[in-house]
Amino acid sequence: MTVDVRATDLVGNVSNLTFEEFNWDSVPPITTITVPSGAYMASVPSVVGYANDPLDVSETGLGGLDSSVKAVQVGSRNNSLSPGRWWDGSAFTLLDAAHAGGAGWFNAPVGVEVTTADWSHATATVSFVTGNEFSINARAVDFANNVSAPVASF
């Protein structure tokens, strides 16, 4: 997409035409968790998945480009606590409202997106307790700062 600009002052002087080209991306990326995939786990050394930033319908066929996946963020929740709490980096202390406000998300290293971008997040420091129920969520952010809806695993 190109925006052309020219200015005219009060006495009629007209500036040279200038332009700026940019890609429009209004569609959030999509992320998928592939590991863990079971309902019962003995250990979760890392969370693994992939993300994709699809083209906006308005970009399709117009030579448009998606902005690509910039980051994937992972959050862990202990559902056995009442109320459930999110991992803050050292303990499960964050309530849902704090997590919805952006706390308790940790960046996972993301590969270069060709068709999808692989990502992995180590969970060795998360205190998973035997007999408790946990959720692991992931969300992706593209370079246009569109954020995907979180997806959950077990």
Side-chain angles (χ1 to χ4, degrees), residues 44-48 74 76 106-109 119-126 128:
V44 183
S46 62
V47 180
V48 179
V74 178
S76 302
F106 298 92
N107 286 331
W119 58 267
S120 177
H121 178 69
T123 57
T125 61
V126 179
F128 292 115

Side-chain angles (χ1 to χ4, degrees), residues 59-71:
E59 301 163 330
T60 307
L62 302 175
L65 299 171
D66 63 30
S67 62
S68 296
V69 175
K70 174 172 67 173

Side-chain angles (χ1 to χ4, degrees), residues 8 15 36 40-41 44 56 70-71 80 87 90 96 108 115 126 129:
T8 304
S15 72
Y40 297 94
M41 306 296 295
V44 183
D56 183 311
K70 174 172 67 173
S80 294
W87 183 253
S90 61
D96 289 341
T115 55
V126 179
V129 178

Side-chain angles (χ1 to χ4, degrees), residues 28-29 73 139-142 145-149:
Q73 300 170 325
R139 67 183 186 181
V141 181
D142 66 18
N145 290 320
N146 298 309
V147 181
S148 70

Side-chain angles (χ1 to χ4, degrees), residues 24-101:
W24 182 260
D25 181 357
S26 61
V27 175
I30 300 165
T31 192
T32 301
I33 298 172
T34 56
V35 175
S37 60
Y40 297 94
M41 306 296 295
S43 69
V44 183
S46 62
V47 180
V48 179
Y50 59 89
N52 176 31
D53 188 24
L55 286 174
D56 183 311
V57 172
S58 67
E59 301 163 330
T60 307
L62 302 175
L65 299 171
D66 63 30
S67 62
S68 296
V69 175
K70 174 172 67 173
V72 171
Q73 300 170 325
V74 178
S76 302
R77 185 178 194 268
N78 186 333
N79 300 324
S80 294
L81 298 174
S82 183
R85 307 267 174 142
W86 293 91
W87 183 253
D88 68 6
S90 61
F92 286 98
T93 63
L94 299 171
L95 295 173
D96 289 341
H99 186 68

